[in-house]
C-alpha cells in the first residue's frame, strides 16, 4: 500500500523546487502525494527563516500537527512529522527540543537523504518510541544534486530549476548565508540536461533559481567556468523552451554580458527582479550591499538603454537599524526614479546570528509600520500605472492554470503579470464543456489582447494560439 506524503512549503521559490525534489526522492519508496495533512503518513513542512513571522508560523503549524498526530495515533495510525528548509537548518537540535512532536529535522542540503531518515524514524517508532529523533543538518561534501531522481510529472508548463544555491555576500540583515551555506553553482551540463528533460515533458517556461543567481559560474567544458549569460544562451536553443527567467539577482553581479542577453535572446523575458533594499547610501553601506545608489542607477540606465521594454522589480527593507527619515526619503526618491513594475517590501526583522540584529539603534515598530505603508502606496501606484499601460496591447501569455471563473484560464505575461484569459467564446464555438476544452489551451503560449487592468492582474481576450 502506498504511503501518503503531504508537503507544505513556505518561503522562496527555491523551497518550492526543493519540495518537489523531496517528493520525487520519496516516490520510488512507495509514497504518493496527499492534498491534506489529515490522512498523511508523512507531513513535511519546508520552512523559511527569512523574517521572524515566517519562522513563527512553523511553530504554530507544528502545534496543529501535534494534535493530528495524536488523533491518528488514537486510531492506531502512524504519522511522521519532518521539518525541512531554513528554520530546520538554523535551529536544528533546538527545534527537536522545543517541538517534541517532530520526528525528523533536515536542512536544505540533506533532503536527498530523506528516504533513509524515514527508515530510521520508522525503526525507532517500531521499537516503541513515541517520537523518533532524526537530525541531519550537515552541509555534506557530496552535493544533493548528484543524488536526485528525475521528475517527470510537471504540474505546469512553467517550472523552476535551481542552478545556484547559497550566498557569500553576507548582507548584514540576512540569514541565507547561514541557512543555505556557501555559494555553489551546478555545472552547465547538469542544468542543460535538466532543462532538456523538462522541455521533453511539456515545460515551456523555465525560471532559473539561485539566491544569487547572476553570480552563477558553472563548470563548462574543460577547466573553465561559465556565467549565467552563457548558460541562458545555451538553454534558449533547447527545443520547446519558449521562455527563460532567472531570480534573484544581485546588482553587483549584473554584468554587461547578461545585459546583452536581455537584448539579444528573445527567450529571455523582459522582466528582471533586481533587489536594491534601500535607496540610501548610508543604509546600503550599513547593510553591506557593496554598491551605492548611483551604481544601481547606472545598471538600470544601461539595462533600459539596451532593452527599452524591460520591466523591473525589487525588494525593499524599511526600518533597517539606524535608518533616518532622510534615508527613507532617499528610498522613496529611488523608487520614483526607477518606477518598478512590481515590488516586495518588508519591515526589517532582526534575525538571530546576523550582524544587524545586535546593532543598538533599532527603529521603533510604529515608525517601521508608517514607512512601510508610505512605500507600499507609492509602489502600488506605480504597479497600477504599469498595468494600465498594457490595456489595448497584444502580448504573449503562457496559460498555466484554471482561473477562478468558469471558462477562464490564468497565465503570465512576459512581465510576469497574472493575466486572466476568457475563453468562453472559444469553448462555445467548439461546443465542448470547458473541462474538455481546456486541453486545447492549457500549457500553451497564446496571443492575448489586454482589455482591463487592475492593481494585481490583467484581463484579456484570445487573439491566437502561438505555434
Ligand atoms: N538574494 C536576494 C534576497 C533573498 S531574501 C538578494 O540579495 O536580494 C528575500 C528578501 O527578503 C530580501 O531581498 C529582503 O528584502 C528580505 N529580507 C531578508 N532578510 C530580511 C530581514 N532580516 N528583515 C526583513 N526583510 C528581509
Ligand atoms: Fe541575503 Fe544578501 Fe545573500 Fe541576498 S545577497 S541572499 S540578501 S546575504
Ligand atoms: Fe526563506 Fe530560506 Fe528561501 S530563509 S527565503 S526559504 S532561502
Amino acid at each position: 500500500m502506498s504511503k501518503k506524503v503531504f508537503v507544505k512549503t513556505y518561503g522562496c521559490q527555491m523551497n518550492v523546487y526543493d519540495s518537489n525534489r523531496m517528493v520525487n526522492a520519496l516516490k520510488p519508496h512507495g509514497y504518493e502525494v496527499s492534498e491534506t495533512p489529515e490522512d498523511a503518513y508523512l507531513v513535511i513542512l519546508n520552512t523559511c527563516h527569512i523574517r521572524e513571522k515566517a519562522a513563527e508560523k512553523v511553530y504554530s503549524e507544528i502545534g496543529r500537527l501535534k494534535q493530528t498526530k495524536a488523533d491518528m495515533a488514537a486510531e492506531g495510525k502512524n504519522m511522521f512529522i519532518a521539518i525541512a528548509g531554513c528554520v530546520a537548518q538554523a535551529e536544528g537540535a533546538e527545534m527537536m527540543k522545543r517541538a517534541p512532536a517532530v520526528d525528523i529535522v533536515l536542512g536544505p542540503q540533506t533532503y536527498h537523504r530523506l528516504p533513509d531518515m524515514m527508515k530510521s524514524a520508522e525503526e525507532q517508532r517500531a521499537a516503541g518510541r513515541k517520537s523518533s529523533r532524526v537530525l541531519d543538518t550537515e552541509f555534506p561534501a557530496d552535493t544533493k544534486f548528484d543524488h536526485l531522481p528525475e521528475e517527470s510529472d510537471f504540474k505546469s508548463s512553467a517550472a523552476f530549476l535551481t542552478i545556484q544555491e547559497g550566498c557569500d555576500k553576507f548582507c548584514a540583515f540576512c540569514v541565507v548565508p547561514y541557512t543555505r551555506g556557501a555559494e555553489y553553482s551546478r555545472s552547465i551540463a547538469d542544468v542543460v540536461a535538466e532543462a532538456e528533460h523538462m522541455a521533453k515533458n511539456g515545460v515551456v517556461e523555465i525560471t532559473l533559481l539561485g539566491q544569487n543567481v547572476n553570480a552563477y559560474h558553472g563548470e563548462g567544458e574543460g577547466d573553465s567556468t561559465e556565467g549565467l549569460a552563457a548558460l541562458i544562451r545555451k538553454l534558449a536553443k533547447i527545443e520547446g523552451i519558449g521562455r527563460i527567467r532567472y531570480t534573484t539577482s544581485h546588482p553587483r553581479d549584473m554584468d554587461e554580458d547578461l545585459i546583452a542577453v536581455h537584448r539579444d535572446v528573445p527567450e529571455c523575458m523582459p522582466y528582471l527582479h533586481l533587489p536594491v533594499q534601500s535607496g540610501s547610501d548610508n543604509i546600503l553601506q550599513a547593510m553591506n550591499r557593496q554598491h551605492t545608489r548611483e551604481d544601481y542607477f547606472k545598471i538600470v540606465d544601461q539595462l533600459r538603454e539596451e532593452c527599452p521594454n524591460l520591466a523591473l522589480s525589487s525588494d525593499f527593507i524599511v526600518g533597517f537599524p539606524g535608518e533616518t527619515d532622510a534615508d527613507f526619503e532617499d528610498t522613496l526618491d529611488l523608487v520614483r526614479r526607477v518606477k518598478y513594475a512590481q515590488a516586495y517590501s518588508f519591515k526589517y526583522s532582526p534575525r538571530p546570528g546576523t550582524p544587524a540584529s545586535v546593532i543598538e539603534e533599532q527603529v521603533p515598530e510604529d515608525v517601521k509600520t508608517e514607512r512601510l505603508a508610505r512605500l507600499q502606496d507609492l509602489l502600488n501606484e506605480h504597479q497600477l500605472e504599469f498595468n494600465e499601460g498594457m490595456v489595448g496591447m497584444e502580448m504573449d501569455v503562457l496559460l498555466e492554470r484554471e482561473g477562478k471563473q468558469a471558462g477562464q484560464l490564468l497565465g503570465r505575461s512576459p512581465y510576469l503579470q497574472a493575466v486572466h484569459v476568457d475563453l468562453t467564446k472559444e469553448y462555445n464555438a467548439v461546443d465542448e464543456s470547458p473541462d474538455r476544452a481546456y486541453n486545447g489551451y492549457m500549457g500553451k503560449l497564446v496571443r492575448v489582447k489586454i482589455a482591463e487592468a487592475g492593481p494585481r492582474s490583467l484581463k484579456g481576450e484570445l487573439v491566437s494560439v502561438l505555434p
Side-chain angles (χ1 to χ4, degrees):
M1 215 182 71
S2 70
K3 302 169 183 172
K4 290 193 170 159
V5 54
F6 170 76
V7 191
K8 184 161 178 178
T9 309
Y10 303 80
C12 62
Q13 292 148 327
M14 196 173 286
N15 263 11
V16 175
Y17 176 87
D18 290 351
S19 289
N20 286 336
R21 285 303 182 97
M22 281 190 264
V23 166
N24 283 301
L26 289 165
K27 274 185 185 162
H29 300 270
Y31 287 80
E32 68 173 55
V33 177
S34 160
E35 298 302 323
T36 71
E38 268 71 38
D39 59 347
Y41 179 73
L42 170 62
V43 175
I44 305 172
L45 302 184
N46 197 10
T47 63
C48 173
H49 202 239
I50 203 83
R51 286 170 289 276
E52 192 181 356
K53 270 196 193 141
E56 277 311 313
K57 270 191 211 154
V58 175
Y59 284 101
S60 355
E61 188 63 34
I62 295 174
R64 283 191 287 274
L65 287 175
K66 189 175 150 192
Q67 190 53 48
T68 316
K69 188 177 176 181
D71 293 346
M72 284 180 65
E75 293 172 29
K77 289 187 198 154
N78 263 321
M79 173 175 157
F80 292 86
I81 301 176
I83 310 297
C86 292
V87 178
Q89 186 65 47
E91 304 203 345
E94 199 51 43
M95 173 166 254
M96 287 245 143
K97 267 192 235 137
R98 184 170 161 190
V102 171
D103 299 284
I104 298 173
V105 173
L106 70 156
Q109 305 309 335
T110 53
Y111 58 67
H112 54 292
R113 299 175 179 165
L114 184 54
D116 289 338
M117 294 181 216
M118 262 312 280
K119 251 184 230 144
S120 158
E122 282 164 332
E123 280 162 18
Q124 294 185 35
R125 183 77 59 86
R129 291 184 64 161
K130 243 206 217 138
S131 274
S132 14
R133 315 267 77 185
V134 182
L135 174 72
D136 193 346
T137 50
E138 281 176 39
F139 289 98
D142 60 338
T143 120
K144 64 186 174 191
F145 294 112
D146 296 340
H147 292 267
L148 292 161
E150 286 209 334
E151 182 177 4
S152 58
D153 176 20
F154 294 95
K155 285 182 224 76
S156 162
S157 49
F160 296 133
L161 201 178
T162 295
I163 64 166
Q164 179 280 332
E165 195 167 344
C167 181
D168 295 341
K169 294 222 167 43
F170 291 92
C171 299
F173 51 82
C174 185
V175 292
V176 171
Y178 314 98
T179 60
R180 292 277 168 172
E183 215 181 278
Y184 168 82
S185 294
R186 295 175 71 188
S187 73
I188 297 262
D190 259 20
V191 176
V192 169
E194 188 166 343
E196 281 170 346
H197 176 74
M198 286 178 164
K200 272 195 204 114
N201 287 281
V203 170
V204 176
E205 173 178 312
I206 292 183
T207 301
L208 306 173
L209 298 181
Q211 270 91 24
N212 257 287
V213 76
N214 59 342
Y216 174 86
H217 51 278
E219 186 191 318
E221 278 156 33
D223 289 336
S224 67
T225 63
E226 293 190 83
L228 182 59
L231 176 67
I232 293 177
R233 286 201 176 90
K234 288 203 169 80
L235 296 176
K237 293 199 186 107
I238 298 175
E239 201 182 316
I241 297 301
R243 290 178 155 193
I244 300 171
R245 305 180 186 277
Y246 58 95
T247 197
T248 297
S249 293
H250 193 289
R252 278 201 19 145
D253 298 311
M254 207 62 225
D255 63 24
E256 305 233 334
D257 203 11
L258 194 50
I259 296 177
V261 162
H262 276 281
R263 184 192 59 209
D264 302 335
V265 180
E267 287 82 2
C268 182
M269 288 292 101
Y271 176 90
L272 176 64
H273 184 57
L274 193 64
V276 67
Q277 314 296 354
S278 166
S280 150
D281 277 338
N282 295 334
I283 298 300
L284 285 171
Q285 194 176 9
M287 283 176 165
N288 190 30
R289 290 292 288 182
Q290 303 172 47
H291 68 80
T292 62
R293 69 187 250 127
E294 214 37 61
D295 295 334
Y296 189 80
F297 287 139
K298 263 195 206 137
I299 297 164
V300 169
D301 289 347
Q302 203 183 341
L303 276 161
R304 286 189 165 149
E305 199 168 303
E306 299 291 345
C307 7
N309 71 333
L310 187 87
L312 287 163
S313 93
S314 178
D315 293 340
F316 293 93
I317 296 178
V318 300
F320 184 82
E323 186 186 70
T324 62
D325 284 340
D327 291 323
F328 177 64
E329 289 302 327
D330 282 348
T331 297
L332 295 179
D333 179 70
L334 178 142
V335 169
R336 283 190 203 101
R337 220 166 122 176
V338 176
K339 276 205 147 182
Y340 293 95
Q342 210 262 131
Y344 301 95
S345 44
F346 314 98
K347 287 186 213 173
Y348 168 69
S349 166
R351 308 306 296 128
T354 59
S357 66
V358 293
I359 302 177
E360 272 175 30
E361 210 184 329
Q362 297 286 329
V363 174
E365 193 58 27
D366 56 334
V367 177
K368 285 188 202 170
T369 305
E370 197 254 342
R371 285 181 188 166
L372 186 66
R374 281 183 63 200
L375 175 61
Q376 290 185 338
D377 281 350
L378 184 64
L379 292 168
N380 287 338
E381 198 184 297
H382 290 172
Q383 183 168 353
L384 182 62
E385 223 171 279
F386 180 75
N387 289 349
E388 284 175 341
M390 302 283 148
V391 175
M393 274 173 60
E394 279 188 18
M395 56 170 70
D396 296 352
V397 173
L398 180 64
L399 296 174
E400 290 170 33
R401 57 196 153 93
E402 289 176 32
K404 279 203 187 108
Q405 286 163 22
Q408 208 183 48
L409 290 185
L410 188 67
R412 296 267 174 198
S413 78
Y415 312 105
L416 212 59
Q417 294 147 302
V419 186
H420 300 268
V421 185
D422 185 11
L423 293 164
T424 345
K425 242 191 335 202
E426 284 75 15
Y427 296 155
N428 288 342
V430 292
D431 195 24
E432 277 189 282
S433 72
D435 273 2
R436 284 175 51 213
Y438 278 147
N439 299 331
Y441 299 98
M442 190 70 95
K444 299 267 162 58
L445 262 174
V446 296
R447 192 93 185 137
V448 172
K449 183 162 186 183
I450 303 303
E452 266 180 62
R456 301 271 170 251
S457 63
L458 307 174
K459 266 190 198 157
E461 278 146 27
L462 186 75
V463 177
S464 59
V465 177
L466 297 169

